[in-house]
Amino acid sequence: MPFQNCLVQTFKTRPIQRSAPASSGVYGLSNAREWIYIGETDNIQARLLDHLAETTTLLAGCRPTGFSFEVCDPTDRAARRRRLILELAPACAGDLAVAR
C-alpha cells in the first residue's frame, strides 16, 4: 500500500512547515517522474527541512519536487520503510541519509 497520506505536496519550506509533523514516521521524496527516496525519522518535519537545505548530496542532485509522509510508531518505521521501498521502487533505494 502506498503512503497512507496519498497527497504529494510541493517540496518547499512552507508546505513542509505547514503539513509535515514533528513526529516519528516515514517519508518519500519524488519528482514528476518517479519516487526518489524513502526515509524514516524521529521528526518528519525536521528531516524534510534538512533534505531541502542539502545542496551537494546525491539526493539533492536528483532534484526532488514533492514529498509525502505518514506518521508511525518508531518500532514500526523500519519495516514500513522496507515495504514502501519494495512497492514504490525509489531511484535511490540505498541509505542516502541516516535516520534521525
Side-chain angles (χ1 to χ4, degrees):
M1 168 172 53
F3 285 96
Q4 292 175 355
N5 172 12
C6 295
L7 181 64
V8 175
Q9 301 182 55
T10 305
F11 187 54
K12 293 188 176 186
T13 302
R14 285 190 185 192
I16 292 170
Q17 291 173 332
R18 197 172 45 237
S19 64
S23 302
S24 169
V26 292
Y27 63 93
L29 297 173
S30 62
N31 61 29
R33 296 175 298 144
E34 63 190 348
W35 286 99
I36 298 169
Y37 181 72
I38 308 296
E40 64 170 290
T41 183
D42 288 329
N43 184 326
I44 297 167
Q45 184 181 91
R47 192 66 188 122
L48 288 170
L49 290 170
D50 286 346
H51 284 310
L52 188 61
E54 295 170 354
T55 58
T56 60
T57 64
L58 178 61
L59 183 59
C62 292
R63 294 189 167 87
T65 58
F67 74 94
S68 192
F69 65 88
E70 66 184 62
V71 173
C72 63
D73 189 85
T75 59
D76 300 327
R77 277 193 335 235
R80 181 63 179 138
R81 178 178 182 243
R82 283 191 299 274
R83 285 192 304 272
L84 286 166
I85 288 171
L86 287 173
E87 182 176 344
L88 301 174
C92 298
D95 280 333
L96 293 176
V98 175
R100 294 183 188 171

